[in-house]
């Protein structure tokens, strides 16, 4: 596996371990002062990876388009995610990385449209996009850690 993708996998597993004791209700709770919840943050990490790595390369996302649209940037939780949905998101945290690794190795992500992130970071190719993901996911893992204390 591409080392950069392996690095992304490890914090994803760690955050799942940190929230493993929470109920589905707790994962869905939006505490006062917050715009989202733990499960939305996990779904958003997947959607952001899909957008940054696939959409920016002119490719279709490798997840259901409805899922992508529900968790992409500028969205908020759209409803209660049941236990089956929670398990699917947890699984997708890793299956999407495995797909990204395979697509990377097979040269699927060849054409990449440069852009500047909202954090003023310019990304010009798939390697830079993958390198950006831990920064973005670190922000959301921080939100999850804060939310965990409030639910």
């Amino acid at each position: 596996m591409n080392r950069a993708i392996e690095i992304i996998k490890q914090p994803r597993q760690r955050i799942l371990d940190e929230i493993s004791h929470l109920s589905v209700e707790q994962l869905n709770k939006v505490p006062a002062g917050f715009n989202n919840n733990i499960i939305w943050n996990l779904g958003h990490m997947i959607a952001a990876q899909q957008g940054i790595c696939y959409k920016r390369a002119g490719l279709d996302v490798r997840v259901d388009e409805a899922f992508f649209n529900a968790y992409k940037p500028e969205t908020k939780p759209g409803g209660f995610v049941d236990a089956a949905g929670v398990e699917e998101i947890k699984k997708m945290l890793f299956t999407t990385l495995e797909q990204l690794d395979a697509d990377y190795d097979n040269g699927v992500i060849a054409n990449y449209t440069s852009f500047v992130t909202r954090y003023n970071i310019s990304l010009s190719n798939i390697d830079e996009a993958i390198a950006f993901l831990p920064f973005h996911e670190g922000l959301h893992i921080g939100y999850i850690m804060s939310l965990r204390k409030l639910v």
Side-chain angles (χ1 to χ4, degrees), residues 67-88:
F67 178 90
F68 175 76
N69 288 329
Y71 293 99
K72 68 184 181 183
E74 308 300 325
T75 65
K76 294 180 181 178
F80 187 85
V81 178
D82 65 14
V86 167
E87 289 308 310
E88 183 62 21

Side-chain angles (χ1 to χ4, degrees), residues 2 6 17 23 48 67 83 86 88 91:
N2 179 312
E6 183 65 33
D17 294 344
S23 68
F67 178 90
V86 167
E88 183 62 21
K91 180 178 155 189

Side-chain angles (χ1 to χ4, degrees), residues 21-42:
H21 66 285
L22 298 177
S23 68
V24 172
E25 289 74 20
Q26 288 172 305
L27 295 173
N28 278 276
K29 183 176 180 179
V30 179
F34 285 81
N35 293 325
N36 51 52
N37 54 35
I38 292 171
I39 199 63
W40 180 91
N41 276 278
L42 294 174

Side-chain angles (χ1 to χ4, degrees), residues 79-144:
F80 187 85
V81 178
D82 65 14
V86 167
E87 289 308 310
E88 183 62 21
I89 288 171
K90 288 178 178 180
K91 180 178 155 189
M92 288 172 61
L93 283 167
F94 302 99
T95 58
T96 55
L97 289 178
E98 291 162 8
Q99 182 69 56
L100 176 59
D101 190 44
D103 289 341
Y104 181 90
D105 286 347
N106 292 323
V108 172
I109 310 170
N111 298 318
Y112 197 87
T113 303
S114 297
F115 79 107
V116 177
T117 71
R118 71 179 69 200
Y119 307 103
N120 203 31
I121 299 169
S122 178
L123 303 177
S124 302
N125 57 56
I126 189 58
D127 291 306
E128 292 175 3
I130 292 171
F132 172 76
L133 291 174
F135 163 76
H136 177 262
E137 294 196 3
L139 292 173
H140 288 280
I141 288 171
Y143 296 141
I144 291 169

